[in-house]
Amino acid sequence: MKQALTDLRRKLRRRPLAAVVRLSGPIGPSGRLGRALSDQSVAPAIEAAFAARPDAVALAINSPGGAAAQSAMIAARIRRLADRHEVPVLAFCEDVAASGGYWIACAADEIYADAASIVGSIGVIWAGFGLHELIARHGVERRVHAAGERKAMLDMFRPEDPEDVARLRRMQDAIHAAFIEHVRARRGARLTERARFDGSVWVGAEAIGTGLIDGLGHLEPVLRARLGDSVRFVEFGARKGLAARLMGAGAGAALGSDLAQGVAEGAEARALWAQWGI
């Protein structure tokens, strides 16, 4: 009955409605990476987009990736709402939809990209530094007191422990398997033998042949072709503050919190973008 009323409202509406949710930035827990995408931060926009009873929801994705759990939570929220409201979801990859960004894109029923978009990177990575020799040369003594044999796993100021590396690899393999399962479940028979799950990336023009995307296209023309030229676009999502727009996400965050933390978050976010040449 509820769905019948929703369908009736759509039919009575003079112009079709496309709800646009912009998901731009690295993905991580709230408070990390400046204005990172997290399930908590994007939930209001996603919920509002589906509550508007649109004819379609469009995800404009521009993300280099980040935290796996947050990526999975955002994707799961999109699917729950899409199934509940019976609304088609289309993802549009902009500069980058890599790693966690592609995880979110797979929540859509269809994925489109620009010919020059970067998509894929279905893998898991951890990176750090080994500084134990550096501090030893400068006479610095590292003091760590922990309850729990593995509590100080992969401490950058101590020599690397093979058992720590093996444990990290087991964690990565489990996350990687979940990522692959999500892609296979969402893309299904559209995936071809050219699709790889080893962290490879493709530009949009190549990605079509792998089945990772459905075609080349931009948000507005694709939705006009789908819903008609009279379609009305309504965007959902919080706007960045003036400081964040002028100075970058990390610097903007620093104005309202600890300066050092803000600078570190901004540097981490820029590093995620930099690996894709952006």
Side-chain angles (χ1 to χ4, degrees), residues 92-210:
F92 295 89
C93 307
E94 297 185 344
D95 298 286
V96 180
S99 194
Y102 184 70
W103 193 317
I104 294 173
C106 283
D109 300 297
E110 299 175 29
I111 304 175
Y112 294 89
D114 182 81
S117 299
I118 297 172
V119 300
S121 189
I122 303 169
V124 182
I125 188 171
W126 180 93
F129 297 94
L131 303 179
H132 59 286
E133 293 185 1
L134 175 65
I135 64 173
R137 285 199 299 269
H138 290 275
V140 179
E141 180 185 2
R142 173 69 165 164
R143 296 174 180 175
V144 178
H145 306 280
E149 185 179 355
R150 296 299 172 194
K151 189 65 176 178
M153 185 179 81
L154 297 174
D155 186 326
M156 72 173 66
F157 296 105
R158 302 170 69 178
E160 191 171 70
D161 185 335
E163 290 188 16
D164 287 349
V165 175
R167 183 175 180 228
L168 173 65
R169 185 55 188 265
R170 288 195 297 271
M171 295 166 60
Q172 289 180 314
D173 288 344
I175 297 170
H176 192 201
F179 194 172
I180 294 172
E181 182 181 359
H182 172 65
V183 174
R184 288 193 184 280
R186 294 299 308 154
R187 300 301 297 167
R190 287 173 288 188
L191 294 172
T192 72
E193 60 182 16
R194 293 176 56 191
R196 300 172 65 86
F197 304 105
D198 58 0
S200 297
V201 295
W202 293 265
V203 294
E206 299 173 325
I208 298 175
T210 67

Side-chain angles (χ1 to χ4, degrees), residues 33 45 59 85-86 88 92 127 180-181 202 211 236 243:
L33 304 173
L59 309 175
H85 293 277
E86 298 184 1
F92 295 89
I180 294 172
E181 182 181 359
W202 293 265
F236 294 83

Side-chain angles (χ1 to χ4, degrees), residues 1-21:
M1 181 65 177
K2 182 180 178 181
Q3 186 59 43
L5 290 173
T6 298
D7 292 339
L8 179 60
R9 290 190 187 100
R10 288 174 182 158
K11 291 178 180 178
L12 294 176
R13 195 160 51 205
R14 290 185 178 181
R15 298 173 61 189
L17 173 64
V20 180
V21 180

